[in-house]
Amino acid sequence: MLRKILLASAGTIALASQAFAADLPSRAPPPVYVPPVPIFTWTGIYLGGQIGYAWGQQRANVFAPDLIDVNGAVIAPGSQVFGSYSAEGVIGGAHVGYLYQVNQWVLGIEGSVDGTSISKTFIPGVDIYPGVLANPFGLTYTTSVPIEGSIRGKIGVAWDRVLLYATGGVAFAGVNASINSPFGSVSASTTRVGWTVGGGVEYAVTNNWSVFAEYRYSDFGSYSNNLGAAFDLTGVGLAAAAPIVNRHFTQNQVQVGFSYHFSPPPPPVVAKY
């Protein structure tokens, strides 16, 4: 009898324990933490490439030489002629810079270098007699700009991945010039320093890659080329003095390009449970 009572009590206690355990709250493992997508920022170092087209307007003032004999007597007086011509070509290169974003405002600095195919040959008309323009010596004046560069500041307003900006600063250009004639030719090279200003729009395709389109106007100032004796007519009893070309060089350019942004890493996130 006692054995039956003990077995019944044990069964009752087991059933009660199972029911009590079922009523206790369960402790499931914590969910896996998924960090939020980092907010895009323009802040950071970037580099990339660009390509486009440039056209430069040059105002030339060509001082034609006197035509003299070997004794120094002037046979035909020299004169000057004014003229404008446009040198144009493809322009492309690389750039590097740094941007810093505060709220919607973006500030930065950028340096660029471009190779160009900008070139033009100008044929000056020489006023050898009042009202009569000619080119008695077959003179041609050729100018080319093989390389350009700039160091510019940037300021812009960002709407998330869209950046609208203005840019301006110092511009550099290597300019080659030559005077050619059937009797010879001479050339000279100079590095011009001027200013440039413009603006553009940039779009971040991903957190690291962006594309942009930009326009800039540059002014490389006024300067002179004294090209020495471009021709020598002493073999026929004549000689000529050196031609001098004064000119003012300005340029427009439009370019598209891409940049890779080395964005700063987001701050570490500490999970709280």
Side-chain angles (χ1 to χ4, degrees):
M1 183 66 182
L2 179 61
R3 183 179 178 182
K4 293 181 178 181
I5 294 173
L6 291 175
L7 289 174
S9 299
T12 302
I13 293 172
L15 291 173
S17 299
Q18 292 177 1
F20 179 76
D23 292 336
L24 290 176
S26 62
R27 290 186 57 84
V32 177
Y33 175 75
V34 179
V37 178
I39 300 174
F40 176 76
T41 176
W42 288 96
T43 297
I45 299 172
Y46 64 94
L47 57 85
Q50 66 276 350
I51 190 169
Y53 198 76
W55 60 101
Q57 187 68 25
Q58 301 204 28
R59 173 71 174 173
N61 180 7
V62 182
F63 290 84
D66 291 338
L67 181 62
I68 60 177
D69 62 22
V70 292
N71 298 317
V74 176
I75 298 176
S79 58
Q80 59 179 305
V81 62
F82 296 91
S84 295
Y85 59 96
S86 178
E88 55 192 40
V90 176
I91 180 171
H95 61 269
V96 62
Y98 176 79
L99 295 175
Y100 183 73
Q101 182 172 355
V102 180
N103 298 324
Q104 276 192 290
W105 292 99
V106 178
L107 303 175
I109 186 170
E110 180 176 299
S112 63
V113 61
D114 291 285
T116 90
S117 64
I118 299 172
S119 181
K120 184 69 174 182
T121 296
F122 174 58
I123 302 176
V126 180
D127 190 3
I128 54 175
Y129 298 106
V132 178
L133 292 177
N135 196 337
F137 307 123
L139 292 178
T140 60
Y141 175 62
T142 299
T143 182
S144 63
V145 185
I147 190 168
E148 293 184 2
S150 67
I151 299 176
R152 295 170 283 107
K154 297 180 73 172
I155 182 171
V157 179
W159 290 272
D160 191 23
R161 295 178 178 271
V162 177
L163 175 63
L164 185 65
Y165 66 89
T167 183
V170 181
F172 311 89
V175 183
N176 298 331
S178 64
I179 286 283
N180 304 280
S181 79
F183 310 99
S185 64
V186 291
S187 61
S189 298
T190 183
T191 299
R192 299 300 307 158
V193 179
W195 55 269
T196 183
V197 65
V201 60
E202 190 165 2
Y203 176 72
V205 181
T206 69
N207 283 359
N208 296 106
W209 291 99
S210 67
V211 293
F212 68 90
E214 181 180 282
Y215 164 82
R216 291 209 325 264
Y217 173 84
S218 303
D219 190 324
F220 297 99
S222 300
Y223 59 103
S224 298
N225 288 130
N226 188 335
L227 297 172
F231 42 86
D232 184 359
L233 306 181
T234 55
V236 292
L238 301 173
I244 299 175
V245 182
N246 294 333
R247 60 180 178 171
H248 185 198
F249 177 27
T250 61
Q251 178 179 288
N252 299 273
Q253 67 186 72
V254 289
Q255 289 181 289
V256 295
F258 66 91
S259 297
Y260 180 82
H261 298 258
F262 299 89
S263 301
V269 178
V270 178
K272 296 181 180 180
Y273 303 106

